[in-house]
Amino acid sequence: KSLENLLFCCFCLVEEANIPYVFVPSKEDLGSVIRANRTCCLLMIRPHAEYKELYDEIVEKINKLESSIPKVE
């Protein structure tokens, strides 16, 4: 239960700060994308001038995903 509580707190902070995020199907998929030799449960990317265009493109895709998911109230 404590992991659930911790994740919920992190999720609330991300939502409140309007930080783009996306859930992936598996930790293995996420680990392989970053070429890690192990699974990965969280990946954070900060904006930087070197890859600003790619960062903006990813944020745009995340925002499109969010708008296609119906909100449950």
Side-chain angles (χ1 to χ4, degrees), residues 5 7 11 61:
N5 292 337
L7 292 174
F11 178 73
K61 287 181 179 183

Side-chain angles (χ1 to χ4, degrees), residues 42-57:
L42 175 68
L43 172 66
M44 298 175 70
I45 304 170
R46 294 177 25 184
H48 191 278
E50 277 185 40
Y51 50 82
K52 182 175 179 0
E53 284 183 35
L54 184 57
Y55 179 85
D56 291 342
E57 180 182 332

Side-chain angles (χ1 to χ4, degrees), residues 58-69:
I58 292 169
V59 169
E60 185 178 325
K61 287 181 179 183
I62 291 171
N63 289 334
K64 284 181 183 176
L65 283 173
E66 288 178 357
S67 65
S68 68
I69 300 172

Side-chain angles (χ1 to χ4, degrees), residues 1-2 16 20 27 30 42 57 68:
K1 272 260 183 200
S2 20
E16 190 175 297
K27 297 185 293 184
L30 187 57
L42 175 68
E57 180 182 332
S68 68

Side-chain angles (χ1 to χ4, degrees), residues 4 10 24 36 38 69:
E4 280 182 28
C10 292
V24 295
R38 60 182 77 143
I69 300 172

Side-chain angles (χ1 to χ4, degrees), residues 66 69-73:
E66 288 178 357
I69 300 172
K71 298 278 184 188
V72 178
E73 295 192 32

